[in-house]
Amino acid sequence: MESLRQYVRDIPDFPKPGILFRDITPMLANPEALTAAVDAMAAPFIDAGVEVIAAAEARGFIFAAPLAMKLNAGFVPIRKPGKLPFDMHSFAYELEYGTDELQVHVDGVKKGQRVLLVDDLLATGGTMEACCRLLEKCDAEIVGCSFLIHLEVLGGAARLSPYQVQSVLTYGQDDEEAELSIQNRQPGPSV
Ligand SMILES: O=P(O)(O)OC[C@H]1O[C@H](OP(=O)(O)OP(=O)(O)O)[C@H](O)[C@@H]1O
Ligand SMILES: Nc1ncnc2[nH]cnc12
């Protein structure tokens, strides 16, 4: 599965200075890589009795619908303010690069339904923690959280410690340091 890494492009200083952005658009553009990513995100939960996939917009949606179809589950959108038309639960949270708020319809998930939460990437965990809080307000049973990418150094997994957290690609301290040193390297003398 490490071969999927070649489809993740690193963009320094996006969307703010100091952020190393992990751009998954090359993976999305490749049919084999996209299929492999969805299959790997679903695999740990194939026999988990998942009834609903829930995910936050926008990048979470990309993986949520194919995972729902693969696991024979429904899909419940978690959206940013001003998008949902019916009564909703809300939760405000902090991001790696800002603050935001998420909402879900009060009847999106029924009491006791088994929900798998999905997102492209786990950084600080603020987004996924907000999603978990929203589903707890619905009295859902959270089966786990499935990510394509986990940025370990940002400590997001600890915020999700009550739940089973799975990721396909993990970027640790060594990856961050190696990539930062490449970005900072000065051109050497030509020989
Ligand atoms: O673990 P965290 O620190 O919360 O960061 C991870 C979240 O950040 C990104 O979404 P973003 O809010 O940038 O929105 P987008 O999906 O609309 O691009 C990403 O898709 C995750 O949802
Ligand atoms: N470093 C990062 N790269 C891509 N998406 C992100 N969302 C939060 N942090 C991110």
Side-chain angles (χ1 to χ4, degrees):
M1 200 51 62
E2 284 308 290
S3 62
L4 277 178
R5 273 187 190 236
Q6 68 189 287
Y7 298 100
V8 180
R9 178 166 54 189
D10 296 336
I11 311 280
D13 298 322
F14 181 88
K16 290 184 176 174
I19 302 289
L20 180 56
F21 193 86
R22 308 290 183 172
D23 175 20
I24 61 165
T25 59
M27 182 181 294
L28 300 178
N30 182 289
E32 288 81 24
L34 179 58
T35 301
V38 170
D39 288 352
M41 289 173 74
F45 299 99
I46 290 284
D47 296 319
V50 174
E51 297 173 282
V52 174
I53 302 286
E57 66 173 295
R59 281 177 270 156
F61 285 8
I62 297 166
F63 296 98
L67 270 163
M69 293 165 78
K70 204 170 173 55
L71 296 178
N72 196 29
F75 167 53
V76 170
I78 298 174
R79 301 219 58 183
K80 293 178 181 174
K83 300 292 185 184
L84 290 176
F86 189 58
D87 296 341
M88 66 200 82
H89 298 298
S90 297
F91 194 88
Y93 64 103
E94 292 197 359
L95 280 172
E96 188 187 1
Y97 40 75
T99 60
D100 220 329
E101 185 176 349
L102 286 173
Q103 302 178 324
V104 68
H105 276 156
V106 289
D107 63 352
V109 178
K110 310 282 178 294
K111 182 174 177 168
Q113 269 193 313
R114 292 175 63 76
V115 180
L116 175 64
L117 285 147
V118 168
D119 208 345
D120 69 319
L121 183 141
L122 173 60
T124 65
T127 305
M128 190 52 87
E129 188 180 22
C131 292
C132 291
R133 294 288 100 78
L134 287 171
L135 290 173
E136 286 163 1
K137 289 185 189 197
C138 298
D139 293 319
E141 188 176 334
I142 298 174
V143 174
C145 307
S146 186
F147 299 92
L148 177 62
I149 294 173
H150 179 192
L151 306 183
E152 262 182 348
V153 290
L154 293 166
R159 295 171 74 166
L160 307 174
S161 55
Y163 304 116
Q164 181 187 347
V165 174
Q166 294 283 344
S167 52
V168 178
L169 299 176
T170 301
Y171 291 80
Q173 184 75 43
D174 292 348
D175 300 303
E176 303 284 334
E177 281 168 7
E179 283 144 23
L180 281 170
S181 75
I182 290 165
Q183 288 159 31
N184 294 334
R185 197 175 293 157
Q186 300 297 316
S190 43
V191 284

